[in-house]
Amino acid sequence: MNRKTLVLPALIGLLAPVLAACGAVDGGDGKDDAIVVGTTDRFSASGGTPAPFDPAYAYDAGSWNILRQTVQTLMYLPRGGGEPEPEAAERCGFTDNGSERFECTLRGGLTFSDGSELTADAVKYSIERVLTIKDENGPSGLLANIDAVETSGERKVIFHLKAPDATFPYKLATPAAGIVNPDKYDAKGLRSGFDIDASGPYTLKTEVENNTVVKAVFTKNPHYKGNLTPKSDNTIELRPFDDADAMGDSLKSGDIDLMARTVTPQQIESLAGDAEDAIDVVEMPGLEMRYLGFDTDAPAVENRAVRQAMAQLVDRAEITSKVYGAAAEPLYSLVPATITGHTNSFFNEYGHPSTAKARALLDKAGVDTPVKLTLNYTTDHYGPGTKAEFEILRDQLNDSGLFDVDIKGTDWLKFRDDQLEGEYAVYGMGWFPDFPDADNFIAPFLDEDNFLASPYANSRIRNTLIPESRQEADRLSAAEPIEDVQDIVARDVPVLPLWQGKQYVAARDDITGVEWALNSSSNMQLWELGRGVGD
């Protein structure tokens, strides 16, 4: 069977029997050659990023992919999607009608990877530690609705929430709520370096050069108890690369077995079109999005009409077709397509790109043109297409005659620090969701203490619409307030969504479980991988 390119729908579980037939899992045969996975994610420790693998600090897709293999959570998202299910817990659920009291009972006999006991007190310690440290770059915002954590005996944990939140089980499935060994993590300070002491399916050993990880080796944790049982006894090695081309060359030569983050459009086309290559490309649903963010207090863009005019001029189809090809599609909302509550608010508000309409918006607001702006982007975090994307954005705005735009690229660490400090009026960012619910595409950008440190504050969104949406356990019932939020964002333009990405995995054809290697939120699931017989 020559798979080459497999396209996996959102209901991927329906295809599992077919895909499983493409190769036999090694079945615990004791084969000890590592399964090597390439990535363009980089893991470095410095004064600015002292604790890349500390759950109280880590809040990027790459670091979370390390933590998801090693740090256990009370809940997890099943491989085919759907509602969160118990993981370190044997059962969890709301115990009131208002979604304000959530209770979990731990599995019996849980231990950390060193064999020490894991109790309800360790869960309480881990959650409260994230909230106490409250690092500005960290994920504490996901847990900010927790009013108190209490324990009952060795195995029961009760969360009291400040306000109803039906999405809370999803948040407990993220590394922000990861359970760490209290003996190894300071209650009030970050743990520097790359060591992890937890209870997940794997333990981690890293090779480090110049404070940067050059190899991360995952070994089955013999003490692990949970639902994420590794499909192979082999170790799994994660090997960072400077760029996707070097990673692709290593895949072709057999130095690595699989690459997922990030496969370029050119590689997708090349690998999928080569029938003689012993490499398969799997396409699967993705929820990655890219957008422009605005410091709405900055003089250049504080006038809403300037942001609206930009929204009126941007041609998303040109960006996706010229830069990303089939790997991306235009996005007209903060909430991606396939997520309950999605609506094309920006298209409904602005329609197709129009210089005449943009000029009318600026003229009505009395804005002098051309408006001088710098679009800032990061050179080393979202892939090689970012610069080309911003060149097109620049040209689209300048060709209207209404803007005088320059672009500026900066390495990620400085870029992120500068963005948080308000150095940029306009900047490009990406978002990989923490969990697949509309709330996670709204609150991180618009709620208090948001991810962007944005000065934009809409009281109706924060005080009415977000709380209303979180009250609905049936997420279909939350659609109306979610749609209202999107309409307000389209009118005020504190952020400007650009495109939604698909995701691809390329692997040598003796690697099994490739179809499960990433879920829709771009979370690596290395425990699904095995080594079998190529087709």
Side-chain angles (χ1 to χ4, degrees), residues 159-390:
F159 298 93
H160 299 275
L161 305 184
K162 299 173 185 175
D165 185 2
T167 71
F168 187 65
Y170 285 100
K171 295 167 184 175
L172 288 182
T174 70
I179 307 165
V180 297
N181 190 334
D183 293 336
K184 305 294 178 66
Y185 291 80
D186 190 307
K188 297 181 179 180
L190 294 172
R191 182 176 184 177
S192 60
F194 302 100
D195 290 335
I196 298 174
D197 285 279
S199 58
Y202 292 100
T203 59
L204 175 70
K205 183 177 181 180
T206 58
E207 292 185 14
V208 178
E209 296 178 2
N210 299 320
N211 293 319
T212 298
V213 173
V214 295
K215 182 188 296 185
V217 179
F218 299 92
T219 303
K220 283 179 65 175
N221 175 9
H223 299 286
Y224 171 71
K225 290 185 178 181
N227 286 320
L228 307 179
T229 307
K231 301 299 187 295
S232 170
D233 288 332
N234 296 8
T235 58
I236 297 182
E237 176 187 318
L238 190 66
R239 189 180 300 173
F241 287 83
D242 289 334
D243 57 66
D245 289 337
M247 181 170 60
D249 290 342
S250 288
L251 180 66
K252 289 182 177 181
S253 69
D255 288 339
I256 65 173
D257 298 298
L258 179 147
M259 64 178 189
R261 286 178 48 84
T262 305
V263 185
T264 68
Q266 294 76 19
Q267 289 172 324
I268 294 165
E269 182 178 357
S270 173
L271 292 171
D274 188 348
E276 302 301 319
D277 217 338
I279 295 171
D280 299 322
V281 180
V282 180
E283 175 191 314
M284 53 193 69
L287 296 174
E288 172 190 4
M289 58 174 283
R290 299 286 172 83
Y291 59 94
L292 291 180
F294 297 92
D295 178 352
T296 53
D297 282 350
V301 295
E302 64 179 344
N303 191 320
R304 181 175 66 170
V306 173
R307 307 191 301 270
Q308 291 175 327
M310 294 175 69
Q312 184 65 73
L313 291 169
V314 167
D315 186 342
R316 296 165 175 83
E318 182 184 20
I319 295 169
T320 55
S321 64
K322 288 186 176 179
V323 181
Y324 299 104
E329 55 190 14
L331 179 64
Y332 296 92
S333 169
L334 268 181
V335 178
T338 74
I339 293 292
T340 300
H342 163 80
T343 184
N344 289 316
S345 295
F346 273 81
F347 188 83
N348 297 339
E349 185 73 20
Y350 301 100
H352 296 288
S354 168
T355 297
K357 291 180 179 180
R359 180 179 290 109
L361 287 165
L362 295 172
D363 287 346
K364 183 177 180 180
V367 176
D368 293 332
T369 59
V371 178
K372 188 172 180 59
L373 289 176
T374 298
L375 305 185
N376 294 275
Y377 67 95
T378 176
T379 56
D380 58 348
H381 196 66
Y382 297 122
T386 307
K387 181 179 180 182
E389 175 181 344
F390 273 72

Side-chain angles (χ1 to χ4, degrees), residues 29-53:
D29 60 4
K31 193 173 183 180
D32 59 1
D33 53 324
I35 297 171
V36 184
V37 177
T39 180
T40 54
D41 290 320
R42 306 287 289 173
F43 311 106
S44 298
S46 66
T49 56
F53 297 158

